[in-house]
């Protein structure tokens, strides 16, 4: 909850965000991602991950490109666009955005299948760790640790109201493989209705979590380990819009990483992963998804 701006957190608690998605005047700080982790869980995860890094020579292993199969699960309320029934063209455009945004990582995303499921409860009410998420994923999830399952829903009611997306982390896979995957708001796909969040960067961002990245403002302060990536400048809180020259940690080197896919900026403002993030991705998927190339 620490990462959610106060107004949004209050709205979340009292359920007053309903209808915000339909309104064409989105609040400046609208982007909200449900991929959160407690500090104690994070400390535990990073301790174990560090042991893995010290232990192995993963860097060399992902020299060429690796293909990852992507299964889209379109959950809808009715067969209109507002009902979540995304056209195939938007899925295709989303795949192009994903491949372009991950171009420097060596990961190639291969669209393998699309399923379409009518379920109003899931469409409206899926949220991190609730029964609807469980039921939806138990019914639809396919593949193994190396398969990306993407679910598109409406986030229209309940605790997930107003989310743009959420994801599991790679280290969650061993605990419960059926929950693995990424959930996004249907209107965030390229050409969707959620301007300025309709260029497909919500999926790019959530897949970043699926590959083991944190938010660039993880930790919520200027000191400390932040996002555990050394070349993303420290950032004390999310950046919204596209605030050029923002510097929320003036005593640390560098301006805020507002163009980074793992911040909260508008889609058009996002354009990069750093070398350090790419290195972390490779180590993460080697450690937890068995994805490596010799
Ligand atoms: C389809 O679902 C959307 C979202 O609930 C709703 O706004 C719209 O009125 C529905 N359209 C029809 C034709 O049922
Ligand atoms: C693709 O999805 C359909 C359902 O729409 C399913 O019947 C089929 O088995 C899936 N194919 C693969 C290769 O997963
Ligand atoms: C994974 O989580 C779902 C939902 O909480 C649960 O039904 C299932 O039994 C879990 N599986 C394992 C292996 O823990
Ligand atoms: C494992 O998953 C279950 C739900 O399936 C959850 O309740 C539990 O907290 C998870 N454990 C860890 C260590 O993440
Ligand atoms: Zn996020």
């Amino acid at each position: 909850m620490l990462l959610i701006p106060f107004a949004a957190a209050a709205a979340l608690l009292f359920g007053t965000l309903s209808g915000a998605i339909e309104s064409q005047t989105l609040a400046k700080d609208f982007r909200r991602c449900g991929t959160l982790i407690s500090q104690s869980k994070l400390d535990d995860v990073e301790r174990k991950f560090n042991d893995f890094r010290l232990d192995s020579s993963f860097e060399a292993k992902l020299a060429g490109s690796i293909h990852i199969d992507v299964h889209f699960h379109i959950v809808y309320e009715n067969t209109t666009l507002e009902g979540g029934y995304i056209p195939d063209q938007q899925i295709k455009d989303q795949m192009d955005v994903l491949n372009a945004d991950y171009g420097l990582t060596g990961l190639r995303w291969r669209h393998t299948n699309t399923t379409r499921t009518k379920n109003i409860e899931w469409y409206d009410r899926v949220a991190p760790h609730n029964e609807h998420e469980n039921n939806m994923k138990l019914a639809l999830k396919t593949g193994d640790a190396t398969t990306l399952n993407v679910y598109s829903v409406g986030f229209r009611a309940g605790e997930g109201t107003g989310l743009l997306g959420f994801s599991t982390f790679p280290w969650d896979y061993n605990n419960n493989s059926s929950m693995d995957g990424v959930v996004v708001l249907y209107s965030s796909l390229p050409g969707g209705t959620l301007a300025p969040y309709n260029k497909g960067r919500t999926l790019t961002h959530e897949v970043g979590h699926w590959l083991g990245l944190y938010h660039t403002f993880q930790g919520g302060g200027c000191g400390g380990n932040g996002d555990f990536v050394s070349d993303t400048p420290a950032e004390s809180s999310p950046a919204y819009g596209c605030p050029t020259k923002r510097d929320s940690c003036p005593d640390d080197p560098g301006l805020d990483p507002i163009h980074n896919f793992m911040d909260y900026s508008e889609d058009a403002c996002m354009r990069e992963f750093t070398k350090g993030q790419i290195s972390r991705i490779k180590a993460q998927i080697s450690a937890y998804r068995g994805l490596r190339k010799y």
Side-chain angles (χ1 to χ4, degrees):
M1 294 299 280
L2 268 183
L3 304 181
I4 300 177
F6 175 75
L12 183 63
L13 287 174
F14 302 112
T16 53
L17 270 181
S18 318
I21 293 172
E22 282 74 37
S23 116
Q24 288 310 299
T25 52
L26 295 180
K28 193 79 180 156
D29 62 350
F30 187 77
R31 184 182 290 282
R32 209 152 55 78
C33 163
T35 313
L36 306 176
I37 183 170
S38 70
Q39 192 60 44
S40 60
K41 178 84 196 282
L42 183 150
D43 290 342
D44 186 44
V45 162
E46 291 307 318
R47 197 168 42 245
K48 290 179 184 147
F49 179 53
N50 195 46
D51 292 346
F52 168 83
R53 289 186 88 139
L54 294 175
D55 238 34
S56 63
S57 51
F58 61 86
E59 305 270 11
K61 290 178 185 163
L62 195 58
S65 60
I66 281 189
H67 287 84
I68 299 181
D69 287 345
V70 183
H71 289 254
F72 267 90
H73 304 288
I74 309 302
V75 173
Y76 63 93
E77 172 161 351
N78 58 50
T79 54
T80 69
L81 192 56
E82 324 80 82
Y85 205 81
I86 306 170
D88 286 338
Q89 185 62 45
Q90 281 191 16
I91 300 172
K92 189 173 173 299
D93 293 345
Q94 178 69 77
M95 290 304 306
D96 291 345
V97 169
L98 199 59
N99 274 310
D101 288 351
Y102 281 88
L104 294 178
T105 66
L107 299 180
R108 306 301 300 158
W109 306 93
R110 182 163 52 196
H111 183 207
T112 307
N113 206 3
T114 304
T115 71
R116 293 183 182 268
T117 307
K118 177 168 178 166
N119 190 306
I120 297 174
E121 287 269 277
W122 300 347
Y123 184 68
D124 284 351
R125 295 182 176 276
V126 160
H129 311 300
N130 76 359
E131 57 170 319
H132 305 296
E133 180 201 11
N134 295 342
N135 295 338
M136 176 181 79
K137 290 181 172 178
L138 289 174
L140 299 176
K141 195 244 168 194
T142 186
D144 58 21
T146 69
T147 314
L148 174 63
N149 282 266
V150 178
Y151 305 83
S152 76
V153 300
F155 292 129
R156 290 171 54 82
E159 8 169 45
T161 308
L163 285 181
L164 293 196
F166 67 95
S167 176
T168 55
F169 288 112
W171 51 84
D172 295 327
Y173 190 86
N174 277 339
N175 181 37
N176 195 325
S177 60
S178 32
M179 294 301 118
D180 189 52
V182 166
V183 185
V184 294
L185 181 64
Y186 79 98
S187 52
S188 72
L189 268 67
T193 50
L194 197 72
Y197 306 107
N198 61 346
K199 295 185 183 301
R201 260 62 196 255
T202 293
L203 186 62
T204 300
H205 173 109
E206 295 304 333
V207 168
H209 293 311
W210 188 80
L211 296 168
L213 299 182
Y214 296 118
H215 292 131
T216 47
F217 49 86
Q218 178 69 43
C222 294
N225 288 313
D227 62 358
F228 289 81
V229 173
S230 57
D231 61 358
T232 49
E235 185 180 38
S236 66
S237 61
Y240 297 102
C242 196
T244 314
K245 304 217 168 92
R246 181 179 193 252
D247 195 4
S248 64
C249 292
D251 294 339
D252 292 311
L255 298 174
D256 287 5
I258 63 162
H259 299 298
N260 198 282
F261 293 124
M262 300 315 290
D263 206 342
Y264 270 13
S265 331
E266 295 175 2
D267 279 17
C269 187
M270 293 182 163
R271 57 171 183 245
E272 65 199 14
F273 291 117
T274 64
K275 285 203 168 86
Q277 285 174 315
I278 293 172
S279 166
R280 181 176 164 95
I281 284 174
K282 291 176 180 179
Q284 280 278 324
I285 63 180
S286 176
Y288 301 113
R289 297 197 180 278
L291 272 169
R292 56 188 80 121
K293 188 171 178 133
Y294 296 93

